[in-house]
Every structure is written in structure tokens, then in C-alpha cells.
Amino acid sequence: MSDIKNRINELCNAFVFEYNNKLCGIDPLNRNKFNMWYGENDVMTAKNIDEVMQTPFFNGMSLTNLIEKKLINEKNIVSY
């Protein structure tokens, strides 16, 4: 889990993955603003990396939950 958290917190690129047949992601704009999306219509802005990891935003699941339940892994991370 810390690998994904560190990758997002580097503020370099959007972290994009597929979950429930929807494109999802986190776009780290700065240390205090992370845009998150689940599909085309659900969006939110988190204020820090801990909020990114803990908010049950992805169909009621947090990013931490998705990682711990192995619902996100290398095969559903989208590379650009």
C-alpha cells in the first residue's frame, strides 16, 4: 500500500486505475489538493494524502480498502 501512497504523493502524474469497469483516479495537484474521480460523474477534492487513502469515495470503498482487498493491483493500473 505504501508504494501506491508514495507514488501519488510524489505529485508527478495522475494515478489511474480501473475498478467496477469504471476508470478511476487521483490527480495530485499539490500537497493540499488531490482531485479524485470514479467514473465520469463522481468527483471530489481531497485536502491531503491521508484523505485520499481513507475516504470511502470509490463506490463506498477507500483506496486503502481497495488495496487491502486486492481489488487494485498492477493489472488494473492504467499507464499513460
Side-chain angles (χ1 to χ4, degrees), residues 32-74:
N32 300 311
K33 188 174 184 180
F34 297 80
N35 287 340
M36 300 168 61
W37 67 93
Y38 173 69
E40 293 184 21
N41 299 317
D42 295 326
V43 296
M44 73 164 280
T45 300
K47 296 178 185 144
N48 57 54
I49 190 66
D50 292 326
E51 188 175 357
V52 168
M53 299 302 293
Q54 299 302 323
T55 302
F57 174 70
F58 304 101
N59 197 36
M61 301 276 280
S62 70
L63 188 57
T64 298
N65 296 140
L66 294 173
I67 295 165
E68 288 175 347
K69 294 178 185 273
K70 300 185 188 316
L71 298 171
I72 295 178
N73 53 45
E74 289 299 319

Side-chain angles (χ1 to χ4, degrees), residues 1-29:
M1 173 173 24
S2 63
D3 289 343
I4 290 175
K5 183 176 179 179
N6 289 338
R7 184 173 168 183
I8 295 167
N9 210 28
E10 287 174 353
L11 306 175
C12 292
N13 297 323
F15 178 76
V16 182
F17 59 96
E18 194 173 319
Y19 172 62
N20 276 351
N21 296 317
K22 293 185 178 188
L23 203 55
C24 310
I26 297 108
D27 191 4
L29 302 175

